[in-house]
């Protein structure tokens, strides 16, 4: 079950992806696939940790302009419902440890659709100020771009 959207605290990206849920699930749960789409190109992603279980770590690194890989996301999986939902946060790190700078929780939902999969990324924030900051940082461009990259990857494979 996903919480309802609170426009004061939440941001979302939704679209129909013309691929089966299993292909999108694999792109979210296979390290090599995840690295191909998780950050807006031409930046590159490296998965340092991906422990697919509640309490497991999700740690990614980012390289821009061919430079060194730097910290990008350090978080914790909260729920993993195969082929349906992934929930992760950067408010905790692996092992349920509190994070130094909590910012958001993301719920990724995959639902059957006649054309493929109804995909939604629902990103929740602790305050309106954090939500607005994330929006000004380019949430829609960033999450929109990576969702488009995800769609291209899985639609090409399907």
């Amino acid at each position: 079950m996903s919480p309802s959207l609170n426009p004061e605290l939440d941001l979302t990206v939704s679209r129909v992806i013309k691929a089966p849920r299993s292909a999108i699930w694999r792109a979210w749960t296979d390290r090599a696939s995840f690295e191909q789409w998780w950050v807006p190109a031409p930046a590159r992603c490296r998965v340092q940790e991906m422990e697919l279980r509640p309490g497991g770590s999700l740690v990614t690194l980012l390289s821009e302009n061919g430079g060194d890989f730097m910290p990008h996301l350090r978080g914790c999986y909260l729920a993993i419902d195969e082929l349906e939902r992934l929930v992760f946060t950067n408010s905790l790190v692996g092992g349920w440890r509190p994070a130094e700078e909590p910012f958001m929780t993301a719920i990724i939902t995959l639902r059957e659709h006649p054309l493929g999969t109804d995909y939604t990324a629902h990103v929740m924030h602790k305050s309106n100020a954090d939500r607005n900051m994330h929006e000004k940082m380019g949430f829609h461009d960033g999450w929109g771009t990576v969702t488009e990259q995800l769609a291209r990857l899985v639609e090409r494979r399907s």
Side-chain angles (χ1 to χ4, degrees):
M1 177 178 167
S2 294
S4 59
L5 178 69
N6 178 338
E8 295 295 314
L9 300 174
D10 304 342
L11 296 165
T12 63
V13 171
S14 296
R15 71 169 283 172
V16 173
I17 297 177
K18 296 175 183 171
R21 288 186 306 164
S22 60
I24 298 165
W25 186 261
R26 254 189 324 278
W28 266 98
T29 60
D30 174 74
R31 284 176 182 236
S33 294
F34 191 80
E35 289 177 343
Q36 292 179 50
W37 66 270
W38 178 238
V39 299
R44 294 181 312 142
C45 173
R46 180 178 295 155
V47 174
Q48 191 170 36
E49 295 179 35
M50 182 182 269
E51 297 177 274
L52 291 162
R53 61 178 176 76
S57 295
L58 174 59
V59 180
T60 63
L61 305 173
L62 172 74
S63 170
E64 294 185 283
N65 303 317
D68 293 338
F69 280 90
M70 306 298 286
H72 175 247
L73 172 71
R74 183 179 162 118
C76 177
Y77 289 104
L78 302 176
I80 299 175
D81 302 320
E82 191 162 348
L83 299 177
E84 294 180 9
R85 184 178 71 140
L86 280 164
V87 183
F88 63 94
T89 186
N90 73 345
S91 297
L92 299 169
V93 296
W96 309 107
R97 297 274 177 203
E100 288 185 34
E101 295 182 33
F103 184 65
M104 60 105 194
T105 297
I107 302 171
I108 308 305
T109 308
L110 309 176
R111 292 191 175 89
E112 292 292 333
H113 187 278
L115 298 176
T117 302
D118 185 7
Y119 174 89
T120 301
H122 177 175
V123 181
M124 302 181 298
H125 304 85
K126 69 182 179 295
S127 69
N128 182 256
D130 280 357
R131 179 231 179 260
N132 292 342
M133 179 177 68
H134 200 180
E135 187 171 45
K136 286 178 185 162
M137 286 170 43
F139 172 84
H140 293 289
D141 286 340
W143 282 72
T145 297
V146 299
T147 299
E148 176 62 31
Q149 291 173 175
L150 167 63
R152 278 198 313 265
L153 176 71
V154 297
E155 288 172 355
R156 188 173 57 238
R157 290 179 177 175
S158 297

